[in-house]
């Protein structure tokens, strides 16, 4: 038994899916290929919102004689277009709800679902409700209905279905054409990282797309280390790259190295020189760059093949004379595509290679080696970021000049994020200066950094595939990827509680247990598979000061997982801060009627201690959305990018293992980062995609930041404090002298009462 509908059904049957979720009588299936809504129930099919609600209400015990009139009323809502009629109905409902929680009786009924659903899809009704202040009772009722767990689940399910639809549409659009000339079972892709550093989120897109297409066509993916520059490369980076790929669940069908083909590449270099399509050149680097830019031919461009081979042999020995020379492809002098202006294809390097040792003193450039090895290894499709697009013609020229098997190229856009550096050189700068703690720092965009921050492989994969092989070059916000991540972790993240030490307030609970009691509760109320936890109940508890301040005298609040309590007294310290509270336990109270539902912890004791934890949060490393090539990174470093709070957590967190993702309720999602040197457990906050959690945190209220640097000598100590700001300084328009405004009014003058 199920309800089947599309997310684009109009008017959308909110009442049907809400009552279906509430009664647990049928499943909800979203199918974008269907029109309207259909209930399959006990062998019959029902296709109108009102009839579905009526059937499920009868099945769930939510119907009654008094609800019938509201079904008729709901039918009139979409027919009302004149303002007087709409206002009359709103007035009637508001008056009826003045002293009622629900439309009929003391519990929710079909009447509430059908009226709520009909108003939900009536824009004019919603507009009057939001803009008018007179419908306080109706607004309260609407808010209460939408706060119910079943309604929240319904709306979350709809949002997820819409997100899946959008994601599917984007992915389908991106991959609609597939790979050109692709044949089932014969596609071979390759991911060719240079073993000179750690993979970052930009590499993740390339790796995931290569694996995606290989699997799509039941083909193979090669992981090839492009090790043609011994100056930068080290063997240990190969291990870290393979580990990074493992973190992404990416595994190649085989692992190769460009250096496996050095002998063949050398022979092909001899071949291309002999064919007259390459020559030796000893032009100085700066002069060569200038000549290429101006379209000027090298003085050696027309040297004889014999001279070119002799110079190449000299290069191979690594002699002083050989070091002066390089080999350039003879493509064009002045082509509009500057990548075709006789690029360098071989150069000398005396540094021993981490795999071949000192066998070679000459190494091919990436532009020469890549098409050769792609062809030799049977690669059918080379996926490249479109920053290489101008070099695509060069790639194909190499293949043709050498008479090798062709390879199809598929371009996709490079992945860029705001406030994010992907340059290895600039990331090295942060590591070398100790601004971050290493390449796995949670502030880094490396695979290790984002995984340590709590980004899941599933979310990363969904995000990458949603981007597809797009050609658009944009700097993306981080909110989308973290919002996807939240949807992945929320259903499975166990729930715990934490109270910030500095802000904890002791509460005495009258009527609480005389001795501590321990109860077993689910770690996730909506997912019993997550497991159970032990919760300690005592007559003295800790709450957050922010909550304590918000309580009114004699207010009834809800202690989550316990019940209601009434605030009887509040004690404040000399500074006015609340230092302690007294409450009366009131378990008979209705939690649905309280506005405040708070987390708490039993006051620690020898038998039932709390766990000391550190909650970490991070800001962007730079203050500018996108650094230009001319920008100096040191001018845009965020002054404070790490924030720490010491807190108590319930003892259940001691069972966690490093990398576990949890939710500290009412605080956010966190990933357990292990035990620090001070024996405290450290938890890193996982962004949830909300703008407030992604914006720069420096200088926000409640955030502890480092003190400003000590003023330089020559400055006075009694000067006005200088606010911390990343804005450039601007002189005051009116100078430093105070400006007294001159009034032009014709009113009579009155002396200033403060003078």
């Amino acid at each position: 038994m199920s309800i089947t509908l599309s997310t684009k059904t109009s008017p959308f049957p909110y009442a049907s899916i809400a009552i279906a979720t509430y009664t647990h009588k049928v499943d909800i299936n979203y199918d974008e290929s269907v029109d309207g809504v259909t209930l399959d129930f006990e062998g019959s099919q029902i296709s109108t919102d009102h009839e579905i609600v009526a059937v499920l209400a009868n099945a769930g015990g939510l119907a009654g004689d008094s609800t019938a009139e509201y079904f008729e009323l709901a039918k009139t809502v979409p027919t009302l277009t004149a303002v007087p009629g709409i206002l009359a109905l709103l007035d009637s409902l508001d008056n009826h709800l003045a002293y009622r929680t629900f439309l009929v009786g003391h519990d929710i009924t079909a009447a509430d679902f059908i009226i709520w659903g009909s108003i939900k899809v009536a824009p004019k009704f919603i507009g009057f409700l939001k803009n008018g202040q007179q419908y306080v009772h109706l607004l309260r009722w609407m808010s209460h209905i939408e706060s119910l767990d079943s309604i929240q689940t319904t709306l979350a399910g709809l949002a997820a279905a819409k997100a899946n639809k959008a994601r599917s549409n984007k992915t389908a659009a991106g991959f609609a054409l597939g790979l050109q000339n692709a044949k089932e079972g014969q596609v071979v892709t390759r991911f060719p990282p240079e073993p000179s550093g750690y993979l970052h989120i930009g590499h993740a897109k390339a790796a995931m797309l290569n694996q995606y297409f290989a699997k799509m066509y039941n083909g193979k993916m090669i992981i090839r280390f492009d090790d043609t520059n011994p100056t930068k490369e080290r063997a240990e980076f190969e291990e870290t790259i393979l580990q990074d790929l493992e973190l992404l669940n990416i595994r190649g069908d085989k692992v190769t190295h460009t250096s496996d083909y050095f002998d063949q590449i050398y022979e092909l270099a001899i071949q291309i020189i002999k064919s007259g399509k390459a020559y030796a050149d000893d032009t100085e680097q700066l002069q060569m760059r200038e000549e290429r830019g101006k379209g000027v031919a090298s003085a050696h461009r027309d040297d004889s093949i014999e001279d070119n081979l002799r110079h190449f042999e000299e290069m191979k020995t690594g002699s002083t004379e050989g070091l002066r020379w390089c080999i350039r492809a003879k493509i064009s002098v002045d082509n509009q595509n500057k990548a075709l202006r006789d690029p360098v294809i071989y150069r000398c390097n005396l540094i021993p290679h981490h795999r071949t040792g000192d066998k070679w003193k000459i190494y091919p450039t990436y532009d020469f080696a890549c098409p050769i090895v792609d062809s030799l290894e049977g690669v059918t499709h080379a996926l490249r970021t479109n920053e290489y697009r101008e070099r695509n013609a060069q790639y194909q020229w190499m293949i043709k000049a050498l008479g090798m098997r062709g390879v199809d190229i598929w371009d996709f856009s490079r992945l860029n994020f705001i406030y994010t550096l992907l340059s290895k050189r600039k990331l090295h700068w942060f590591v070398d200066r100790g601004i971050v703690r290493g390449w796995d720092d949670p502030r880094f965009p490396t695979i290790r950094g984002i995984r340590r921050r709590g980004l899941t492989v599933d979310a990363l994969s969904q995000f990458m595939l949603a981007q597809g092989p797009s050609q658009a070059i944009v700097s993306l916000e981080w909110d989308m990827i973290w919002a996807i991540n939240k949807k992945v972790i929320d259903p499975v993240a166990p729930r715990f509680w934490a109270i910030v030490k500095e802000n904890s307030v002791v509460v005495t609970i009258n009527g609480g247990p005389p001795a501590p009691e321990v109860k077993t509760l689910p770690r996730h109320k909506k997912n019993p598979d997550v497991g159970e936890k032990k919760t300690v109940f005592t007559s003295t508890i800790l709450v957050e000061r922010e909550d304590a301040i918000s309580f009114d005298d004699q207010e009834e609040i809800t202690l989550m997982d316990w019940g209601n309590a009434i605030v009887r007294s509040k004690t404040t310290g000399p500074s006015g801060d609340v230092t302690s509270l007294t409450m009366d336990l009131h378990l008979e109270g209705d939690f649905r009627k309280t506005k405040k539902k708070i987390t708490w912890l039993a006051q620690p004791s020898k038998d039932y201690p709390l766990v000391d934890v550190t909650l970490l949060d991070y800001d962007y490393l730079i203050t500018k959305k996108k650094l230009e090539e001319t920008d100096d990174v040191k001018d845009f470093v965020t002054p404070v990018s790490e924030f720490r709070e010491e807190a108590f957590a319930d003892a259940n967190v001691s069972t966690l293992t490093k990398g576990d993702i949890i939710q500290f309720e009412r605080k956010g999602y966190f990933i357990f980062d292990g035990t620090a040197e001070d024996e405290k457990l450290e938890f890193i906050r996982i962004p949830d995609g909300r703008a407030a959690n992604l914006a720069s945190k420096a200088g926000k209220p409640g955030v502890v930041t480092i003190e400003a640097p000590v003023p330089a000598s020559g400055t006075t100590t009694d000067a006005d404090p200088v606010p911390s700001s990343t804005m450039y300084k601007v002189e005051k328009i009116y100078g430093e002298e105070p400006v007294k405004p001159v009034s032009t009014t014709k009113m009579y003058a009155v002396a200033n009462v403060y003078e």
Side-chain angles (χ1 to χ4, degrees):
M1 296 184 291
S2 64
I3 288 179
T4 303
L5 73 163
S6 164
T7 58
K8 60 180 182 287
T9 302
S10 180
F12 193 80
Y14 283 103
S16 293
I17 61 172
I19 199 168
T21 305
Y22 186 86
T23 58
H24 302 289
K25 294 294 181 183
V26 294
D27 296 324
I28 300 173
N29 297 320
Y30 288 100
D31 183 348
E32 300 306 322
S33 66
V34 303
D35 294 321
V37 57
T38 303
L39 169 64
D40 242 339
F41 188 77
E42 296 181 350
S44 60
Q45 289 194 333
I46 305 163
S47 56
T48 67
D49 190 26
H50 289 71
E51 291 177 352
I52 292 171
V53 174
V55 168
L56 293 179
N58 284 322
L62 301 177
D65 295 337
S66 301
T67 63
E69 62 180 287
Y70 290 98
F71 277 79
E72 294 303 316
L73 185 63
K75 291 178 182 178
T76 67
V77 170
T79 66
L80 292 174
T81 56
V83 172
I86 294 173
L87 296 181
L89 180 53
L90 291 175
D91 285 334
S92 174
L93 288 170
D94 190 68
N95 291 335
H96 180 75
L97 289 164
Y99 299 102
R100 293 179 174 87
T101 302
F102 300 105
L103 290 171
V104 177
H106 300 289
D107 290 301
I108 195 167
T109 64
D112 298 289
F113 286 110
I114 198 66
I115 294 295
W116 170 78
S118 63
I119 293 177
K120 185 83 173 167
V121 295
K124 287 188 176 180
F125 279 74
I126 295 295
F128 281 117
L129 277 175
K130 287 184 176 180
N131 297 325
Q133 301 296 320
Q134 65 269 41
Y135 304 114
V136 291
H137 307 300
L138 184 53
L139 276 171
R140 167 185 52 77
W141 172 80
M142 287 283 290
S143 298
H144 178 58
I145 296 298
E146 294 200 0
S147 71
L148 298 176
D149 285 345
S150 59
I151 303 294
Q152 288 288 305
T153 302
T154 299
L155 298 177
L158 175 60
K162 287 181 177 179
N164 287 333
K165 174 191 171 187
R167 187 158 57 244
S168 299
N169 288 346
K170 288 179 181 177
T171 304
F175 299 124
L177 298 178
L179 294 176
Q180 69 272 37
N181 304 320
K183 295 181 180 179
E184 186 74 14
Q186 297 181 27
V187 168
V188 179
T189 63
R190 88 292 194 260
F191 174 61
E194 182 184 29
S196 60
Y198 294 83
L199 296 187
H200 56 59
I201 193 168
H203 297 118
K205 179 176 182 178
M208 286 180 163
L209 286 178
N210 274 286
Q211 179 166 271
Y212 176 85
F213 280 120
K215 288 185 175 180
M216 173 190 279
Y217 292 101
N218 292 316
K220 294 180 180 179
M221 184 184 79
I222 299 168
I223 296 172
R224 181 202 308 147
F225 288 105
D226 173 43
D227 54 348
T228 58
N229 186 356
T231 302
K232 297 180 179 179
E233 297 149 3
R234 297 203 300 268
E236 55 265 34
F237 281 128
E238 293 187 10
E239 291 301 317
T240 60
I241 287 172
L242 290 174
Q243 291 168 6
D244 289 345
L245 291 174
E246 189 69 29
L247 288 174
L248 297 174
N249 293 334
I250 292 175
R251 301 169 187 85
D253 292 281
K254 66 176 179 177
V255 176
T256 67
H257 298 77
T258 300
S259 57
D260 296 337
Y261 303 92
F262 277 172
D263 289 309
Q264 289 154 283
I265 297 172
Y266 171 74
E267 294 299 330
L268 288 167
I270 296 289
Q271 175 186 320
I272 200 172
I273 293 172
K274 286 182 176 180
S275 69
K277 295 177 180 176
Y279 61 93
D281 192 7
D282 68 346
T283 306
E284 292 288 338
Q285 186 178 31
L286 291 177
Q287 182 184 341
M288 184 187 297
R289 184 179 301 156
E290 184 178 352
E291 288 179 351
R292 290 188 72 205
K294 293 180 178 179
V296 176
S298 165
H300 295 285
R301 194 170 197 269
D302 295 321
D303 284 359
S304 68
I305 291 174
E306 291 74 18
D307 283 346
N308 290 329
L309 289 172
R310 179 169 51 82
H311 290 312
F312 190 41
E313 188 62 28
E314 195 68 38
M315 288 172 59
K316 186 181 177 185
T317 66
S319 66
T320 303
E321 173 63 18
L323 291 174
R324 294 178 46 237
W325 297 84
C326 68
I327 303 297
R328 296 175 66 180
K330 196 173 183 179
I331 305 176
S332 173
V333 172
D334 55 1
N335 194 290
Q336 289 295 314
N337 181 351
K338 292 184 179 181
L340 296 177
R341 294 184 182 181
D342 292 3
V344 174
I345 61 173
Y346 249 99
R347 75 283 199 216
C348 292
N349 193 328
L350 300 184
I351 296 175
H353 192 278
H354 69 280
R355 294 188 74 240
T356 62
D358 57 4
K359 176 182 176 180
W360 295 96
K361 304 295 188 295
I362 51 173
Y363 295 92
T365 61
Y366 176 83
D367 289 336
F368 187 56
C370 182
I372 291 173
V373 181
D374 281 349
S375 186
L376 291 174
E377 289 192 329
V379 171
T380 60
H381 295 82
L383 275 64
R384 292 154 59 107
T385 56
N386 50 19
E387 63 187 307
Y388 286 99
R389 180 171 290 166
E390 287 191 349
R391 297 187 183 186
N392 288 349
Q394 181 195 96
Y395 180 104
Q396 300 296 1
W397 185 92
M398 300 289 181
I399 292 281
K400 185 176 180 180
L402 294 167
M404 304 188 75
R405 179 189 60 83
V407 178
D408 287 312
I409 295 175
W410 182 283
D411 290 332
F412 62 91
S413 64
R414 176 187 170 99
L415 197 61
N416 296 308
F417 284 92
I418 61 169
Y419 298 111
T420 304
L421 298 171
L422 297 181
S423 160
K424 289 180 185 176
R425 178 177 58 83
K426 291 174 181 175
L427 293 176
H428 259 295
W429 186 87
F430 280 91
V431 175
D432 294 342
R433 282 154 183 76
I435 297 173
V436 296
R437 295 186 178 86
W439 290 89
D440 66 343
D441 192 284
R443 290 163 285 191
F444 257 18
T446 55
I447 299 301
R448 294 173 179 228
I450 59 177
R451 292 283 286 124
R452 188 177 173 196
R453 188 83 180 265
L455 190 62
T456 62
V457 174
D458 190 14
L460 190 59
S461 178
Q462 289 182 28
F463 177 78
M464 295 301 177
L465 295 180
Q467 301 303 308
S470 164
Q471 300 300 310
I473 302 175
V474 294
S475 290
L476 301 170
E477 302 275 354
W478 280 95
D479 56 352
M480 180 180 175
I481 195 168
W482 287 119
I484 293 172
N485 193 61
K486 178 185 175 182
K487 291 177 182 176
V488 172
I489 65 178
D490 180 73
V492 294
R495 272 52 171 169
F496 301 106
W497 292 343
I499 302 289
V500 176
K501 288 183 180 180
E502 185 181 3
N503 298 329
S504 62
V505 174
V506 178
V507 181
T508 301
I509 303 294
N510 296 326
E517 295 179 2
V518 180
K519 295 181 180 179
T520 301
L521 299 173
R523 289 190 170 196
H524 193 307
K525 294 181 179 68
K526 298 178 182 177
N527 186 356
D529 294 337
V530 174
E532 296 179 331
K533 62 181 179 181
K534 304 288 186 182
T535 300
V536 181
F537 297 79
T538 64
S539 57
T540 307
I541 63 173
L542 303 177
V543 300
E544 294 275 7
R545 178 170 288 120
E546 184 179 354
D547 288 329
I549 292 172
S550 73
F551 297 154
D552 296 326
D553 288 339
Q554 312 307 313
E555 181 179 8
E556 187 167 357
I557 57 99
T558 298
L559 301 171
M560 291 170 61
D561 287 349
W562 193 347
N564 286 8
I566 300 172
V567 179
R568 293 306 187 192
S569 66
K570 187 185 296 188
T571 304
T572 57
S575 62
D577 289 335
V578 178
T579 56
S580 65
L581 294 169
T582 301
M583 297 184 185
D584 288 348
L585 201 60
H586 184 228
L587 299 182
E588 301 80 16
D590 186 350
F591 73 90
R592 292 173 295 185
K593 296 181 179 180
T594 60
K595 293 182 180 178
K596 296 163 188 171
K597 296 165 178 63
I598 67 163
T599 49
W600 53 275
L601 290 173
Q603 190 172 44
S605 64
K606 182 179 179 181
D607 294 329
Y608 301 102
L610 296 175
V611 177
D612 289 329
V613 301
T614 302
L615 307 180
L616 295 113
D617 198 4
Y618 294 98
D619 200 352
Y620 299 117
L621 281 171
I622 57 174
T623 58
K624 188 176 181 181
K625 283 190 173 184
K626 182 179 183 296
L627 290 188
E628 305 300 334
E629 286 297 321
T630 55
D631 288 336
D632 191 337
V633 66
K634 72 175 184 292
D635 296 331
F636 299 95
V637 177
T638 304
V640 183
S641 56
E642 183 181 79
F643 308 92
R644 307 171 73 91
E645 283 186 315
E646 304 302 323
F648 294 117
D650 64 78
N652 296 284
V653 300
S654 59
T655 64
L656 299 173
T657 57
K658 187 173 181 177
D660 283 349
I661 290 176
I662 67 162
Q663 184 189 62
F664 281 127
E665 293 194 85
R666 301 177 70 229
K667 289 189 178 298
Y669 300 93
F670 290 81
I671 183 169
F672 178 41
D673 197 46
T675 305
E677 293 180 1
D678 59 5
E679 299 301 315
K680 293 178 182 176
L681 306 188
E682 292 194 334
F683 291 86
I684 296 172
R685 179 185 293 275
I686 304 172
D688 58 11
R690 290 184 294 177
N693 290 339
L694 293 170
S696 182
K697 300 173 179 66
K700 284 190 175 182
V703 175
V704 179
T705 60
I706 58 173
E707 295 182 359
V710 177
S713 59
T715 59
T716 58
T717 56
D718 59 349
D720 291 336
V722 180
S724 174
S725 173
T726 57
M727 293 292 288
Y728 51 84
K729 185 178 179 181
V730 178
E731 296 297 330
K732 293 181 179 179
I733 296 173
Y734 299 108
E736 298 299 325
E737 294 298 321
V739 177
K740 186 173 183 179
V742 178
S743 174
T744 57
T745 179
K746 296 180 181 179
M747 294 289 288
Y748 53 84
V750 179
N752 191 329
V753 296
Y754 297 106
E755 292 180 350

